[in-house]
């Protein structure tokens, strides 16, 4: 069922609406208050509708009418049910003909059942009692009610991603909890490298020299610097005073060592300082 709310554009009636009462808006338009009613305002009769009931189909409507009137679903009074059903169908038929099509089909079925109940029952050829004309309708209603209740129960069950979230815990083989440090991404290495380059530009000097730089040599130097060190800060591996060229070769040497799994690049948490250490520990004995 639906109810129309229409604002009349009759100037005589509009004049009775107070424009401002204690600075209280008479209406809101797109969230903005209106302190007076426009004289040329006109709203069509079908512009505003309030839908009092919404049903998912003819069976849903029938089940609603039966439960509302406390009818026995095994002994449905077809006259009262059909009358109430037709009242609702006539209402939605005037609003939405396409929506009313399936409801009209059920209305025809109800009228047929009602007419069959008015006729005297005829026994079958084998003498058995004829089947109740309402039997098929009752079977469909009971099946629909069971499916609807099952759907409501499933909807109330906890759903992953809506009611709870899954978590993962890594446990070591000996039963101790292993701390998982966040992985260092390429973007974070690039950001740290850009910050070092920016600091290097502040202390650079104009020099014209030619120096042959070896990546392997810087790899060996970096391994020697890391020996005996538990951790070394990422920025401490670079010497801005030696220029950008040396820093580039040092960074390439760092990447090569990481590629060959000779060093570990770690970070305690996101956005924390990056540290470098040897991937192996020499024998202290």
């Amino acid at each position: 069922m639906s109810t129309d709310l229409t604002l009349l554009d009759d100037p005589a009636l509009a004049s009775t609406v107070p424009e401002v009462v204690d600075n209280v808006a008479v209406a809101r338009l797109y969230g903005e208050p209106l302190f007076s009613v426009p004289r040329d305002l006109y709203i069509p009769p079908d512009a505003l509708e309030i839908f009092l009931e919404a049903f998912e189909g003819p069976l849903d409507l029938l089940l609603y009418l039966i439960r509302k009137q406390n009818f026995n679903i095994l002994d449905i009074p077809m006259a009262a049910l059909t009358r109430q059903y037709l009242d609702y169908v006539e209402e939605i038929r005037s609003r939405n003909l396409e929506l009313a099509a399936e409801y009209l089909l059920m209305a025809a079925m109800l009228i047929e059942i009602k007419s069959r109940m008015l006729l005297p029952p005829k026994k079958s050829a084998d003498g058995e009692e004829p089947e109740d004309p309402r039997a098929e309708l009752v079977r469909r209603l009971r099946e629909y009610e069971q499916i609807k209740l099952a759907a409501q129960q499933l909807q109330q069950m906890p759903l992953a991603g809506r009611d709870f979230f899954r978590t993962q815990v890594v446990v070591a083989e000996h039963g101790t909890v292993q701390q998982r440090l966040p992985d260092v991404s390429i973007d974070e290495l690039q950001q740290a490298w850009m910050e070092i380059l920016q600091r290097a530009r502040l202390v650079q000097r104009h020099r014209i020299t030619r120096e042959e730089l070896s990546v392997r040599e810087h790899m060996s130097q970096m391994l020697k610097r890391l020996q005996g060190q538990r951790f070394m800060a990422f920025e401490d591996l670079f010497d801005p005073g030696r220029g950008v060229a040396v820093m580039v070769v040092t960074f390439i040497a760092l990447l090569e060592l990481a590629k060959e799994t000779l060093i570990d690049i770690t970070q305690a948490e996101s956005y924390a300082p990056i540290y470098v250490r040897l991937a192996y520990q020499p024998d202290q004995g």
Side-chain angles (χ1 to χ4, degrees):
M1 299 175 65
S2 62
T3 304
D4 293 341
L5 301 178
T6 306
L7 180 63
L8 299 177
D9 58 341
D10 189 351
L13 296 178
S15 61
T16 62
V17 180
E19 294 187 355
V20 180
V21 179
D22 296 333
N23 293 327
V24 177
V26 297
R28 286 185 176 273
L29 179 62
Y30 299 109
E32 298 295 331
L34 290 179
F35 296 100
S36 62
V37 179
R39 298 303 180 183
D40 56 347
L41 178 63
Y42 172 74
I43 299 179
D46 57 349
L48 300 177
E49 294 183 357
I50 300 177
F51 291 91
L52 302 180
E53 298 291 347
F55 302 101
E56 298 179 359
L59 289 177
D60 196 23
L61 172 59
L62 283 177
L63 192 61
Y64 168 78
L65 295 175
I66 291 173
R67 296 309 182 194
K68 183 179 180 181
Q69 301 297 326
N70 292 325
F71 292 153
N72 184 0
I73 196 172
L74 300 179
D75 187 16
I76 303 174
M78 295 304 301
L81 180 64
T82 303
R83 182 174 60 256
Q84 296 177 17
Y85 182 87
L86 290 178
D87 291 341
Y88 179 85
V89 171
E90 187 63 28
E91 181 67 27
I92 65 172
R93 184 180 179 183
S94 61
R95 305 294 176 188
N96 192 335
L97 185 59
E98 182 178 355
L99 178 63
E102 56 179 340
Y103 289 87
L104 290 174
L105 181 61
M106 178 60 70
M109 179 179 177
L110 293 177
I111 295 175
E112 179 188 5
I113 295 175
K114 180 181 176 182
S115 61
R116 288 171 57 188
M117 294 183 64
L118 296 176
L119 299 175
K122 294 182 180 180
K123 294 186 178 181
S124 58
D126 53 3
E128 295 181 358
E129 292 293 333
E131 185 181 16
D132 192 330
R134 301 169 294 181
E136 178 64 18
L137 178 62
V138 171
R139 183 188 61 81
R140 292 177 59 183
L141 285 172
R142 298 185 67 178
E143 289 180 355
Y144 176 79
E145 186 176 23
Q146 292 176 359
I147 295 175
K148 186 175 181 179
L149 291 176
Q152 293 176 356
Q153 294 175 359
L154 290 175
Q155 182 66 21
Q156 295 174 358
M157 295 178 63
L159 180 63
R162 184 192 66 182
D163 303 312
F164 66 91
F165 298 91
R166 301 184 183 275
T167 184
Q168 295 181 354
V169 178
V170 179
V171 181
E173 296 180 357
H174 301 290
T176 59
V177 178
Q178 178 182 0
Q179 182 182 6
R180 297 189 61 186
L181 300 177
D183 298 330
V184 180
S185 64
I186 297 298
D187 294 336
E188 292 170 335
L189 279 177
Q190 181 183 8
Q191 181 65 26
W193 165 245
M194 295 301 296
E195 292 177 358
I196 294 175
L197 281 181
Q198 186 176 6
R199 290 200 300 267
R201 294 190 184 97
L202 299 177
V203 298
Q204 66 182 355
R205 299 178 180 86
H206 180 68
R207 293 184 301 178
I208 301 176
T209 59
R210 180 178 180 181
E211 182 181 3
E212 294 183 1
L213 303 174
S214 172
V215 175
R216 285 293 174 183
E217 181 180 355
H218 281 75
M219 291 172 63
S220 300
Q221 294 177 1
M222 190 174 299
L223 290 176
K224 291 179 181 180
R225 294 185 62 185
L226 292 174
Q227 287 181 356
Q229 301 285 341
R230 186 177 179 184
F231 290 96
M232 181 172 285
F234 177 78
E235 58 268 18
D236 293 341
L237 295 173
F238 300 88
D239 186 5
R242 299 184 61 183
V244 177
V246 176
M247 294 176 59
V248 171
V249 176
T250 304
F251 185 69
I252 295 176
L254 177 69
L255 295 179
E256 287 292 333
L257 290 174
K259 179 181 178 181
E260 296 178 9
T261 65
L262 295 177
I263 62 174
D264 289 334
I265 304 175
T266 61
Q267 188 181 36
E269 59 184 4
S270 299
Y271 306 106
I274 299 174
Y275 294 93
V276 182
R277 68 176 181 181
L278 291 176
Y280 63 91
Q281 296 293 335
D283 188 4
Q284 301 295 334

